[in-house]
Amino acid sequence: MSLQSEIQKASPKSVMVFPHRGMLYHNPEHSFAGYDENIKDGATIIEQDVHMTKDKHLIVSHDDNLIRTTGKNISISHSNYEQIKNIHLRNGENVHTLDEVMAKYKNKVNYVIEAKREFQHNFELEHLIAAAINKHKLTDNVLIQDADLNGLIAIHKENNFDKVPTLWLENDKNFKKNYKKTIDKAPEYITFISVPLKLAKPEIVNYIHQKKHLVNVWTVTNYDDNVVAKKSKVDSLFTNDAKFTLNYFKHSF
């Protein structure tokens, strides 16, 4: 199923499941082993968090500093690719580039890609992500995620990106108090508005739907979280156990 087809069907009764960082409970996050397990278990979309090196290579990693996932105390954004390319994840795989991930999986899977910006403010990261996606001809297979609404606005203007779906990761500390004002800022082309699971209250979910956006929540970690997500009537979610979540939503209606 194409990404657009999945999004068109996304609803509280057909919840899209995004494996968080590549099944991090069972494999090193953002590893091929994790992505392969996601796909084997039925996931049709895999997630990449992307940082930019000093010499403008795109590295797939949740953290800018690699010490937690590799044991090496090195910052992606302050290093050149040569300093990173031979660093290994804890299962022996190299830390991957976005180019390597897309070259491996091509259009056999869909991607949710988050721009993880450390100090760059000119949206060069978004430009490079767009260029990589265009290079691999995967604009029909990607969802772009960003906590910075301006980043999503910037990538929407990139060549071939006017119809690429987007997810705004809302992390404002005052969101619960000012959610209407915040949601009203989202351009109509923003596909998903994403909130922490604890903020998926009926009034917030309903308002997002009223504004013609889909609702995403993060992060589902256990059985109770799956139950809460279902009751909250969200359209998609990030989960740390894709196998369980996929099975739960398949059999819970």
Side-chain angles (χ1 to χ4, degrees), residues 107-125:
N107 63 357
K108 297 176 183 177
V109 69
N110 297 313
Y111 308 81
V112 54
I113 299 174
E114 179 176 0
K116 303 285 282 189
R117 196 177 303 96
E118 293 305 311
F119 52 81
Q120 307 93 345
H121 298 290
N122 60 357
F123 304 112
E124 186 173 23
L125 175 57

Side-chain angles (χ1 to χ4, degrees), residues 57-103:
H57 287 261
L58 301 180
I59 306 298
V60 178
S61 171
H62 180 268
D63 302 346
D64 176 62
N65 191 294
L66 294 172
I67 192 165
R68 181 177 62 83
T69 53
T70 70
K72 302 295 184 180
N73 185 17
I74 185 168
S75 162
I76 296 170
S77 61
H78 289 84
S79 305
N80 290 322
Y81 179 59
E82 285 294 319
Q83 299 170 267
I84 294 171
K85 68 177 184 178
N86 294 318
I87 294 178
H88 296 97
L89 300 171
R90 298 189 186 278
N91 68 345
E93 292 182 37
N94 284 0
V95 173
H96 299 300
T97 65
L98 181 61
D99 187 73
E100 288 169 345
V101 174
M102 292 190 294

Side-chain angles (χ1 to χ4, degrees), residues 12 35 56 62 70 72 81 133 162 186 193 231 234 250:
Y35 294 145
K56 302 178 183 178
H62 180 268
T70 70
K72 302 295 184 180
Y81 179 59
I133 293 166
D162 57 317
I193 293 181
K231 289 181 177 178
V234 303
K250 181 178 179 180

Side-chain angles (χ1 to χ4, degrees), residues 146-147 149 152 166-170 182 185-186 190 192-194:
D146 204 322
L149 180 59
L152 295 176
T166 50
L167 183 150
W168 183 18
L169 185 65
E170 181 50 56
T182 301
K185 295 178 183 177
I190 299 296
F192 292 94
I193 293 181
S194 181

Side-chain angles (χ1 to χ4, degrees), residues 103-205:
K104 175 177 174 61
Y105 296 102
K106 302 181 173 64
N107 63 357
K108 297 176 183 177
V109 69
N110 297 313
Y111 308 81
V112 54
I113 299 174
E114 179 176 0
K116 303 285 282 189
R117 196 177 303 96
E118 293 305 311
F119 52 81
Q120 307 93 345
H121 298 290
N122 60 357
F123 304 112
E124 186 173 23
L125 175 57
E126 284 79 3
H127 178 70
L128 292 173
I129 289 172
I133 293 166
N134 278 322
K135 171 188 171 183
H136 289 272
K137 299 180 179 179
L138 290 173
T139 52
D140 290 337
N141 301 94
V142 296
L143 168 69
I144 302 299
Q145 173 185 347
D146 204 322
D148 184 347
L149 180 59
N150 289 321
L152 295 176
I153 292 171
I155 206 163
H156 181 74
K157 297 176 182 177
E158 291 283 341
N159 187 36
N160 300 322
F161 271 73
D162 57 317
K163 292 183 173 60
V164 170
T166 50
L167 183 150
W168 183 18
L169 185 65
E170 181 50 56
N171 59 7
D172 187 343
K173 294 179 180 179
N174 296 316
F175 177 77
K176 186 176 180 179
K177 180 179 178 181
N178 301 315
Y179 70 89
K180 288 185 178 180
K181 183 177 180 180
T182 301
I183 293 166
D184 288 346
K185 295 178 183 177
E188 62 180 10
Y189 57 77
I190 299 296
T191 315
F192 292 94
I193 293 181
S194 181
V195 299
L197 180 60
K198 66 182 180 181
L199 291 184
K201 305 300 182 185
E203 62 274 17
I204 294 176
V205 170

Side-chain angles (χ1 to χ4, degrees), residues 17 38 41-43 241-251:
V17 175
N38 293 163
D41 291 335
D241 192 334
K243 183 176 183 178
F244 180 86
T245 297
L246 285 162
N247 186 65
Y248 174 80
F249 278 93
K250 181 178 179 180
H251 297 288

